[in-house]
Amino acid sequence: MQQAPVQSSLIKQTPSAIYRLWGDRIFLSVVLLLALSIVALTLGLGYYLYLGGSQAINKEGFWGFLTGTTWDPALKLEFGIWPYVLGTLITSFAALLVSFPIALAAAIFTAEYAPRWLAGFINYLVDLMAAVPSVVYGIWGIFVLAPFLREVIYMPTFLWAAEKAPGLVPFLGNPAGYGMFTGVVILSSMIIPFTAALSRDAIALVPAAQREGAYALGATRWEVMQTVILPYARGGIFAGAMLALGRALGETMAVAMVIGNSNVLPYTLFGPASTMPAVIALELKEAVEDLHYSAIIGVGFYLFLIAFIVNVAASYLLNKLKVGSQRA
Amino acid sequence: MMREFKPMASSEMTLDPSLKTRIETRHVTVIYGQKAGVKDVTMPIYANKVTALIGPSGCGKTTFLRSLNRMHDLTPSARVTGEVLLDGINVYAAGVDPVEVRRKIGMVFQKPNPFPTLSIYGNVVAGLRLVGIRKKSLLDEAAERALRQAALWDEVKDRLHAPSMSLSGGQQQRLCIARALAVEPEVLLMDEPTSALDPISTQSIEDLLTELKNHVTIVIVTHNMQQAGRVSDFTGYFLNGEMVEFGPTSLLFTTPKDKRTEAYITGRFG
Amino acid sequence: MRSLQARYTRDRLILIVVIAGTILAALPLTLVLGYALVNGFSSLNWDFFTKGPKPPGELGGGMAPAIVGTLIITGTGLLIATPFGIAAGILLAEYPENKLNPTLRLLSDTLNGMPAVLKGLLAYVLVVKAQGSFSGLSGAVAMAFIMVPIIAKTTESVLKLVPWNIREAGLALGLPRWRVILSLVLPAARAGVVTGLLLATARAAGEAAPLIFTAFGNSLLTYNLLQPMDTLPLRLYAYAISPYEDWHRQAWAAAVVLLGLIVLTSLLARWVTRGR
Ligand SMILES: Nc1ncnc2c1ncn2[C@@H]1O[C@H](COP(=O)(O)OP(=O)(O)OP(=O)(O)O)[C@@H](O)[C@H]1O
Ligand SMILES: [Mg+2]
């Protein structure tokens, strides 16, 4: 073996100061500065929307702006956003209600029943579904879903009601196909993957010992599901539902393309309605009056408040449960 | 500056007066969350000697070793108290740069951990290259020397630029030894460096230790007591996070003072 | 106590319900994919990729300006977002002792879930108003707002997949932490980080809402970021709500292209993170 020379002194060529003293400090400062601008961005989002909307909000008052039912940018310049708030809340919660059991069923199937290859394929589809652009759902909504629903549900129901139960007609509304109900259907389809993915992760996190304990007692598959797995995973499932709700609240294009965009209250089941994101997307580029601009940004501020609460709650839960920590 | 270490009052060790203390720990305690991994360890590590740490699995050898070069800094759950004096300076003192400490005190880990994205050569010179040494002749020379010392040169000299993960477990461990040697540390901490090696490579590593002693101070954790007997000058016996006994290897193995040490040694020697 | 027979029957019934739910869940995507292919695939021709839009009512033309605009706007957005997102991922994964991390993680996840239209609104307030006109740049800024939290999240999780002992090995060599992160950890996670960038880009590239009032759209080809710019989703939307058959056909073709983009990136992502 070769004799090791006595301390040759590669290392004694002392590395430059950036390595010894300042490197870590500079690096961490830069990283901190860049990373924390995300915090600034999130909070700044609320702040700038408030600032931009303050002209309209101040004119109508914080509650007046929220609960006013007249949105008239043309003649009276009166701005109340209640029709949009109502439209957003109704469609989002209804979509959550519709999508939740479906998403949960898909999660249960892939996590517990499906063979590996099938589960993998369905999981891939679910992940893909979350990534499909809103406008693609939208064009499908306009040309496929809305006409289909009109022929199969709206018209028959409307005709039946007109003949047999005329009292219902005002609640059904215009059966043209573009309205609240179509919006809810398309929104439900779009938020399924969020609940499904997180529920599936939560179910997968249930320790094997828990299941085996129950199986060992002679429980059937569903009994194990019901008594052990679902209770254990409920935190993650709930967080998934919150996340889905957050997405529904902010979903813009697909809804705007099928909901008919009318802010005339009262809303009906089939008839046109509107939502907060839709009015922002559709009116901002056409606004002329300063007050109209401000009112639209004000809608954004209120949407921020609602979505912020829902998303903070969902994120907090997810970080606490460590569910879905691997997904974007 | 080297410091004299005062022999423990209770021992009757006959210490060579030329012994210099390179590292001295004082009441080192490492706590993981609530649980202590190492409790109140005070011991010297003599310059240019091999010090062996022995003891049953889970007794805190690795934990103690990592406290010497501040590797616990990156484990948020671990808290180190007490002092580790390197040439009289507490490495945990405010203002001491852990990078500086680790540059002087190198480490070979219990499990081989080559950098997966780097080649064999890249691994060996990583420590040099990444502090800005670029000159190819210097790097080549250092790589060859380190690989020879780690008894790996002959096996890899024809494929220096192959991925490091293409090596066997034992080869990876020797690569990690070479990597640690390449930066020429003054103190080398080795955590069971030969546990994954065959007898021949083990022999080479043991020879290496004896040779390195001339200019490096070595602390080695080992489960193999014959090895401790062969290569070390001093031995510390750990049990349940405490250091039960410390002394010259020849004494500790032949006339242990503590019943527990004796039980451990005889139990293993059979 | 129910009889075993009854319990098994119930188990089977539940399975049927669960399968029905799964089919229902997969139905919309299948239908969207199917209709897009049927209606749009045949319209994907050379003109679609190389020609600009024709005046309303005239047949033919394509989406070249929109395709170019999509590339420019998302590319610029990616350039803006990458340092912020990767820095956040590094902070979250590599500095677990940092006290601000829980807050950062919470707000970054929150930002990820916030409506894209609001991010567009912020870009409108900050860029369009300051600049005095719609522009590709403002659209790129909106895209960056969308991408940053996605990049942060994926970077964090792929960095965490890199074994911790690599960092210890680097530090034990006396390397400073920043060197270990930049030269050892990031390269080990490179494929994953790049996948994250790709997914973020694909996600942003499909957005139309935040661009309507920032990039605005433009039927002429432009490379100038300070001018209004077209993108595929914007053009798709404009054509979908138009009264012209031929434009509907082209809108479907745009939908096929967008779907192809996300299928491609998600397959690539699977491939890169395979075996994890
Ligand atoms: N990161 C950690 N977090 C919590 N406890 C730890 C951690 N690392 C080690 N411990 C605990 O500290 C004690 C000492 O562990 P250590 O790894 O130092 O033992 P060891 O003597 O090196 O054992 P072995 O011979 O098996 O390597 C053990 O009980 C171990 O469980
Ligand atoms: Mg150990």
Side-chain angles (χ1 to χ4, degrees), chain A residues 71 73 77 79 283 287-297:
Chain A
W71 175 272
L77 282 188
F79 295 100
E283 281 192 18
V288 188
E289 299 285 341
D290 273 355
L291 195 60
H292 189 192
Y293 272 121
S294 175
I296 294 169
I297 297 173

Side-chain angles (χ1 to χ4, degrees), chain A residues 18-19 23-24 27-28 31-32 34-39 41-45 48-49 102 105-106 108-109 113 120 122-125 127-129 131-133 135-137 139-140 142-144 189 192 218-223 226 246-247 250 252-253 257 277 280-282 284-285 293 297 300 303-304 307-308 311-312 315-316 319 325-328, chain C residues 7-8 10-11 14-15 18-19 21-22 24-26 28-29 31-32 35 83-84 87-88 91 95 98 100 104-115 117-118 121-122 124-126 129 134 145 148 150 152-154 157 176-179 181-182 203 206 208-209 212-213 216 233 236-237 240-241 248 251-252 255 258-259 262-263 266-267 270:
Chain A
I18 188 169
Y19 284 92
D24 272 329
F27 183 73
L28 184 57
V31 165
L32 267 173
L34 289 172
L36 293 184
S37 47
I38 295 183
V39 173
L41 177 60
T42 313
L43 302 177
L45 186 57
Y48 279 107
L49 294 183
I102 298 173
I108 291 175
F109 181 70
Y113 290 96
I122 295 175
N123 290 344
Y124 176 67
L125 279 190
D127 289 347
L128 201 59
M129 210 188 300
V132 170
V135 279
V136 174
Y137 278 109
I139 189 175
W140 178 75
I142 288 183
F143 294 114
V144 182
S189 327
I192 285 173
T220 64
R221 224 167 187 170
W222 170 246
E223 285 161 355
Q226 199 182 13
R247 295 292 166 149
T252 312
M253 297 316 292
M257 286 159 90
I280 297 171
L282 299 182
L284 186 61
K285 70 169 180 177
Y293 272 121
I297 297 173
L303 179 60
F304 171 88
F308 189 77
N311 277 298
V312 163
S315 308
Y316 176 79
N319 285 331
S325 51
Q326 297 301 324
R327 58 185 48 252
Chain C
R7 288 167 62 206
Y8 272 126
R10 203 162 79 116
D11 205 44
I14 296 282
L15 178 59
V18 164
I19 290 177
T22 310
L24 215 52
L29 179 66
L31 289 174
V32 168
Y35 274 98
F84 294 95
L91 191 66
Y95 293 89
N98 183 21
L100 290 171
L104 173 60
R105 192 175 290 117
L106 180 72
L107 288 185
S108 178
D109 288 353
T110 299
L111 185 62
N112 192 19
M114 291 302 277
V117 70
L118 293 185
L121 213 44
L122 183 60
Y124 174 86
V125 172
L126 294 180
K129 278 209 164 167
F134 302 111
F145 291 160
V148 163
I150 304 176
K153 191 87 194 159
T154 50
S157 51
R177 220 166 156 184
W178 66 274
R179 216 47 176 118
I181 294 169
L182 289 184
R203 177 80 60 81
I212 292 184
F213 42 82
F216 192 75
L236 191 170
Y237 170 65
I241 58 170
H248 295 168
W252 279 110
L258 287 175
L259 282 172
I262 65 140
V263 170
S266 63
L267 281 177
R270 291 227 141 191

Side-chain angles (χ1 to χ4, degrees), chain B residues 58 61-63 110 191-192 221 223:
Chain B
K61 306 178 296 291
T62 299
T63 305
Q110 192 165 349
D191 196 349
E192 299 187 36
V221 171
H223 273 290

Side-chain angles (χ1 to χ4, degrees), chain A residues 1 4-5 8 11 19-20, chain B residues 97 130 145 148-149 183-184:
Chain A
M1 179 181 270
S8 88
I11 277 299
Y19 284 92
R20 285 181 296 117
Chain B
D97 180 3
L130 296 183
R145 186 170 59 240
R148 279 189 192 280
Q149 287 177 331
V183 296
E184 294 171 8

Side-chain angles (χ1 to χ4, degrees), chain C residues 174-217:
Chain C
L175 298 176
R177 220 166 156 184
W178 66 274
R179 216 47 176 118
V180 171
I181 294 169
L182 289 184
S183 301
L184 299 173
V185 182
L186 272 181
R190 190 177 43 210
V193 172
V194 170
T195 308
L197 296 180
L198 218 89
L199 287 176
T201 311
R203 177 80 60 81
E207 286 288 351
L211 294 184
I212 292 184
F213 42 82
T214 53
F216 192 75

